[in-house]
Amino acid sequence: MGNTFGKIFRLTTFGESHGQAVGGVIDGFPAGIDIDTGFIQHELNRRRPGQSKITTDRKETDRVEILSGVFEGKSTGCPIGFIVHNENQHSQDYENMRTLLRPSHADYTYYYKYGIRDHRGGGRSSARITISRCVAGAFAKLALQKHGITVQAYTSQVGNIALDKDYRKYDLAQTECNIVRCPDSEKAELMEKLIAEVKAEGDTIGGAITCVVKGCPVGLGEPEADKLQAQLAAAMMSINAAKGFEYGDGFDCMLTRGSQQNDRFTSDGNHISTVTNHSGGIQGGISNGEDIYFRVAFKPVATILKEQPTVDIDGNSAVLKARGRHDPCVLPRAVPIVESMAAMVIYDAFLQSILVK
């Protein structure tokens, strides 16, 4: 239960952090779409561990193997199976916490629900499982490209270092020019320094990622429960360490009046658009043709390299001293994950809109 995303474009994932592999099955992907395996691997490389001095030291190549659904460079319309083998597990690093409940982790809730404690790096609750989302997101991006739709995310805040909320002030093509994945080089340098300082202290820090969807047509999303922003919010909040979601002006709209917040319509005779975009490209739960933009807040990674009081699975008091390799800040590696989830939601909504028509 709960291992499948989507309605038409569907992804079912499998695997654990320290198991043999992680992977998934994509269903509902149309036939005849050109599949660039180099692009898919590139997207995984953006997520993989060990890519810089401010990420976890775990070394994984994360080479994806496509098992089915692609023939001679094109999708066949059949289920796309894929797998990524785990190569660098250090399960012994977690032996001292076999029975301990790590603060703010899923240890207690998983143990209570399933009666089994997989202490190896978080098991199924590990962020390593997001590999499958990045693969599926890459397929969705390839399909969206055919329709002129792009998805771009970037780190917009680390701790108290934040970019202006207006994404139009930045050249988003510069996002990949630094290890923080921030389009502002000066702020990126400050963010990198802060993350390095926090890492040296054995601590972690959170922040925010902004995502922009361009070229989205009018009409994606459904009334009531399947509003487009609700689908995006559900996708983003399913990402490990995500704690908040806002689209358009979000919480800032509380500070304005309707006369300031309303997006006035205009027309050039052929095309209706809005003068402003406080709505974030979505009105009434349906895309209006403007840029869709949203922010996702991420908490500090729960595993810190400091002693913490806790209890074991029997309720006895204990002290936890974590070992192993962990990210001091999830944001740089979460950027491609946010993009992938957004691409999956948008493409699924796009396929649904075709059926309606």
Side-chain angles (χ1 to χ4, degrees):
M1 298 292 290
N3 297 303
T4 300
F5 300 93
K7 293 191 173 182
I8 297 179
F9 178 88
R10 294 167 63 85
L11 167 68
T12 300
T13 71
F14 68 84
E16 295 87 33
S17 176
H18 286 226
Q20 292 186 17
V22 296
V25 175
I26 302 168
D27 209 352
F29 195 76
I33 295 178
D34 292 329
I35 303 302
D36 182 347
T37 55
F39 173 77
I40 294 170
Q41 185 60 55
H42 170 73
E43 293 296 279
L44 268 187
N45 291 346
R46 296 172 66 212
R47 194 225 69 93
R48 70 176 175 83
Q51 61 184 270
S52 77
K53 60 185 179 182
I54 58 171
T55 63
T56 172
D57 295 329
R58 180 171 177 169
K59 301 296 183 183
E60 295 280 0
T61 59
D62 285 354
R63 303 300 300 181
V64 62
E65 180 181 356
I66 298 175
L67 305 175
S68 63
V70 177
F71 180 67
E72 295 184 341
K74 291 186 180 293
S75 59
T76 65
C78 298
I80 299 170
F82 62 88
I83 192 169
V84 175
H85 290 278
N86 294 328
E87 301 171 338
N88 192 228
Q89 312 97 308
H90 287 182
S91 299
Q92 67 276 6
D93 288 345
Y94 299 87
E95 191 59 36
N96 70 315
M97 57 186 79
R98 175 180 286 273
T99 63
L100 300 184
L101 302 179
R102 295 170 297 171
S104 286
H105 275 277
D107 298 349
Y108 173 66
T109 51
Y110 267 60
Y111 181 70
Y112 187 90
K113 183 176 180 68
Y114 299 107
I116 295 175
R117 171 86 169 90
D118 184 350
H119 64 288
R120 305 166 304 162
R124 181 67 175 161
S125 69
S126 168
R128 184 150 181 79
I129 309 307
T130 58
I131 284 175
S132 301
R133 305 182 187 207
C134 284
V135 174
F139 274 92
K141 282 185 177 182
L142 289 172
L144 290 173
Q145 286 174 9
K146 292 174 61 67
H147 303 282
I149 303 172
T150 62
V151 182
Q152 173 75 66
Y154 60 92
T155 298
S156 54
Q157 183 167 349
V158 174
N160 62 350
I161 303 170
L163 273 62
D164 188 285
K165 292 185 179 181
D166 189 346
Y167 66 90
R168 295 170 298 180
K169 294 182 178 180
Y170 302 98
D171 178 5
L172 301 190
Q174 300 300 310
T175 299
E176 295 294 319
C177 292
N178 55 74
I179 59 177
V180 185
R181 293 200 164 92
C182 171
D184 184 317
S185 59
E186 292 183 2
K187 288 291 182 68
E189 187 175 346
L190 294 174
M191 291 174 178
E192 179 184 336
K193 181 180 179 182
L194 176 58
I195 295 172
E197 290 174 353
V198 168
K199 180 180 181 180
E201 296 170 359
D203 217 332
T204 60
I205 195 165
I209 290 173
T210 296
C211 187
V212 182
V213 182
K214 289 181 174 291
C216 191
V218 181
L220 303 192
E222 306 295 334
E224 291 301 311
D226 285 333
K227 289 180 170 65
L228 188 57
Q229 74 269 25
Q231 295 181 57
L232 286 168
M236 297 307 140
M237 294 305 292
S238 73
I239 300 173
N240 307 60
K243 298 295 285 186
F245 173 88
E246 65 175 1
Y247 73 104
D249 281 3
F251 288 101
D252 286 346
C253 70
M254 295 184 296
L255 306 176
T256 63
R257 299 187 181 188
S259 57
Q260 299 169 300
Q261 188 67 205
N262 288 347
D263 292 317
R264 180 170 60 84
F265 288 104
T266 186
S267 175
D268 59 8
N270 297 310
H271 177 254
I272 295 176
S273 61
T274 59
V275 176
T276 54
N277 189 20
H278 301 295
S279 302
I282 304 172
Q283 293 172 325
I286 299 172
S287 61
N288 66 3
E290 306 297 324
D291 291 349
I292 294 172
Y293 64 95
F294 59 85
R295 291 205 314 158
V296 187
F298 287 87
K299 70 173 184 176
V301 176
T303 299
I304 62 175
L305 302 182
K306 295 184 175 184
E307 289 190 352
Q308 298 179 84
T310 187
V311 299
D312 62 21
I313 56 177
D314 296 316
N316 301 309
S317 296
V319 174
L320 171 67
K321 181 64 168 83
R323 296 195 297 265
R325 302 156 298 175
H326 309 282
D327 285 289
C329 179
V330 73
L331 297 166
R333 294 176 62 211
V335 166
I337 302 170
V338 167
E339 289 181 2
S340 293
M341 296 307 295
M344 288 168 58
V345 169
I346 296 299
Y347 190 52
D348 191 32
F350 182 84
L351 293 175
Q352 292 177 56
S353 71
I354 293 176
L355 289 182
V356 170
K357 294 178 180 179

